[in-house]
Amino acid sequence: MMEKGLYLYCVVAGNETRGLEIKGIDGQPVLTMPIDDLTAVVQECQTPIANDDMKILSDLVLIHQAVIDLAWERFQTIVPFSFGTVVVERDGKSKEENLREWLERESETLKEKLRRLEGKAEYGVQVSWEPAKMMEKITRNDKEVRSLQEEIHSKGTGTAYLLRQKLERLVKERMEVAADAYFKEFFQGVRGQVEEVRVEKVRKEDPSRQMLMNLSCLTPKGETSKLGEFLDRITKIEGFHVRFTGPWPPYSFVNF
Amino acid sequence: MKLEIDNDDLKHGLLGLVMGIVEIVRDTLRIQSVKRMESGTLTGVQIEKLGNALIELDRTIDKIKEEQGIAEAVRSVRDGLDDLVNRMVDTVADPAGVRKMGEESAFSRKIAGGKR
């Protein structure tokens, strides 16, 4: 059953009464609701707001992104909400009352977050390596690996099969140790150049590459030259690739 | 109960599931066999026999997968199990995230037809 709701984009500091000149989901106007020295950027909506159609869903995510980008440009500092946050009528209270109550209750937390995020932007840092290249590099001078390889050639097929299993596990172990060491080195390097870092889940890439590290970094908007220099050094290492994205609104540093 | 398989989807799903489990058992056998070999309790002849038996098992699995056209189904069963385990690990590692999902109050996160 469809229910009416208030779709929540973001919260900004101060009392803003002017809406945003952009059409939101379902072409609805994007409104500002000032409450207690904070302003919620919202729109009226139906909930659930989408079905399982991926095309529709991705269009909605783009609208969400566009509204937040505009709000970020206009108000400079925002606490963005993730896609699909809708305040509904509940416990005999209207959606507006529920939003007001929530904003009042979280007022201090939100203001603290806004202070912390002022003038800052989020940047994404993703480091990948090419497992095939790295495997060769890591095991090239490894005595244990070399002697197993030689043993495999000298044995019968059945024994060679089991030794290959053993070799596979050994190489995997070596790769894990190397990945761990690189992660620590890169993480510390990045952390030294930004204000805050969050470790995100690594994502699957095409089979020739493997994501080693996925970080969200918070730093003053535009101040990325030192981080850039550090990342350049990583790209120069054979077999490594870096993806650097941003500036983004600080989605990962909000925790709502 | 008599099970009649006349639907290709069902055949793929069921055979894929069975073969996925067979593969997992095979992986465990491999690990155990290497451990036996390393423990030094097997003779060279026994090691060779054990390895050959596993090669035979690999061939049989590959043959069945190819003949039945279920390689994709088997992969998806195994990927599905991997995802399941990952989610379980996440849940154990981050109970706060689960708690948060339980606190619905006035917020609705029903994005797509009630799914999260």
Side-chain angles (χ1 to χ4, degrees):
Chain A
M1 199 189 84
M2 295 292 258
E3 210 179 343
K4 280 204 163 71
L6 273 179
Y7 188 97
L8 185 55
Y9 289 101
C10 58
V11 170
V12 303
N15 288 314
E16 302 285 346
T17 46
R18 207 155 47 106
L20 289 176
E21 300 77 23
I22 187 169
K23 279 195 176 121
I25 289 161
D26 291 333
Q28 291 288 316
V30 176
L31 317 164
T32 48
M33 279 181 58
I35 295 161
D36 186 25
D37 226 17
L38 290 170
T39 299
V41 177
V42 298
Q43 72 154 88
E44 300 268 348
C45 72
Q46 301 282 335
T47 182
I49 56 165
N51 51 33
D52 286 336
D53 186 325
M54 282 313 288
K55 172 77 178 74
I56 295 174
L57 208 54
S58 77
D59 284 349
L60 291 175
V61 172
L62 288 178
I63 295 173
H64 176 87
Q65 178 73 30
V67 172
I68 286 189
D69 280 346
L70 185 65
W72 197 39
E73 201 185 303
R74 166 85 64 81
F75 305 115
Q76 299 299 320
T77 307
I78 65 172
V79 172
F81 284 81
S82 50
F83 174 72
T85 308
V86 178
V87 182
V88 291
E89 201 178 284
R90 189 86 23 117
D91 306 328
K93 287 176 191 142
S94 72
K95 52 195 195 302
E96 286 81 6
E97 278 172 315
N98 276 326
L99 177 63
R100 171 180 295 276
E101 261 184 24
W102 180 79
L103 274 175
E104 280 167 357
R105 197 169 64 238
E106 299 289 332
S107 170
E108 281 315 305
T109 321
L110 284 163
K111 284 175 187 167
E112 159 61 25
K113 278 183 203 295
L114 284 163
R115 273 193 295 275
R116 189 164 64 92
L117 298 174
E118 198 176 341
K120 299 192 188 127
E122 175 173 332
Y123 293 84
V125 172
Q126 293 164 349
V127 180
S128 308
W129 70 0
E130 292 169 49
K133 258 190 201 166
M134 293 310 295
M135 203 185 293
E136 214 277 313
K137 195 170 148 188
I138 289 164
T139 57
R140 199 183 296 152
N141 298 313
D142 190 303
K143 274 188 195 141
E144 215 177 322
V145 171
R146 298 303 295 260
S147 82
L148 248 178
Q149 281 168 334
E150 278 159 29
E151 208 186 335
I152 287 169
H153 288 299
S154 68
K155 298 284 191 198
T157 46
T159 311
Y161 176 91
L162 287 177
L163 288 173
R164 255 197 303 280
Q165 302 297 324
K166 195 179 161 184
L167 178 67
E168 260 177 42
R169 274 203 288 158
L170 180 67
V171 169
K172 204 175 150 219
E173 216 178 278
R174 294 284 196 267
M175 292 282 283
E176 277 166 10
V177 171
D180 207 43
Y182 278 118
F183 181 94
K184 282 193 182 125
E185 187 192 328
F186 297 160
F187 179 78
Q188 261 152 23
V190 170
R191 196 173 54 181
Q193 314 299 342
V194 299
E195 287 199 10
E196 277 184 59
V197 189
R198 277 182 63 105
V199 181
E200 311 288 354
K201 267 192 198 160
V202 291
R203 286 197 291 269
K204 272 194 186 134
E205 294 188 290
D206 67 279
S208 69
R209 285 190 193 182
Q210 187 183 19
M211 198 183 285
L212 206 62
M213 191 169 94
N214 185 8
L215 302 177
S216 300
C217 307
L218 189 71
T219 185
K221 208 172 170 180
E223 286 179 29
T224 55
S225 57
K226 276 190 179 163
L227 178 61
E229 275 168 33
F230 179 74
L231 297 179
D232 274 348
R233 274 192 281 159
I234 301 179
T235 29
K236 290 207 177 84
I237 310 174
E238 199 204 338
F240 279 93
H241 301 271
V242 176
R243 224 168 107 217
F244 183 46
T245 59
W248 306 106
Y251 286 104
S252 309
F253 296 89
V254 174
N255 289 330
F256 275 117
Chain B
M1 190 178 82
K2 199 179 159 203
L3 192 62
E4 274 189 39
I5 303 176
D6 52 13
N7 176 318
D8 255 11
D9 276 354
L10 184 60
K11 182 187 112 180
H12 280 186
L14 205 55
L15 269 178
L17 179 62
V18 170
M19 215 25 93
I21 292 165
V22 170
E23 279 196 3
I24 291 165
V25 172
R26 185 263 324 264
D27 294 349
T28 312
L29 281 173
R30 276 180 180 166
I31 294 169
Q32 289 304 322
S33 303
V34 173
K35 279 191 178 157
R36 287 282 171 83
M37 174 177 71
E38 286 175 325
S39 73
T41 52
L42 298 178
T43 65
V45 177
Q46 283 172 322
I47 292 172
E48 185 65 20
K49 266 191 184 166
L50 192 55
N52 280 324
L54 283 170
I55 294 174
E56 201 47 51
L57 181 59
D58 278 356
R59 282 195 191 125
T60 311
I61 290 173
D62 287 347
K63 196 174 145 208
I64 295 172
K65 283 203 292 190
E66 198 190 322
E67 279 172 4
Q68 303 294 331
I70 52 167
E72 196 51 51
V74 173
R75 199 171 305 127
S76 91
V77 165
R78 301 201 57 173
D79 286 351
L81 283 171
D82 280 351
D83 289 346
L84 184 70
V85 171
N86 284 340
R87 272 208 302 280
M88 278 170 66
V89 170
D90 283 351
T91 315
V92 173
D94 180 25
V98 182
R99 228 178 14 250
K100 208 169 172 183
M101 275 167 58
E103 286 171 13
E104 274 282 86
S105 71
F107 282 92
S108 147
R109 295 231 170 181
K110 279 178 273 176
I111 298 164
K115 276 191 194 168
R116 283 172 191 282

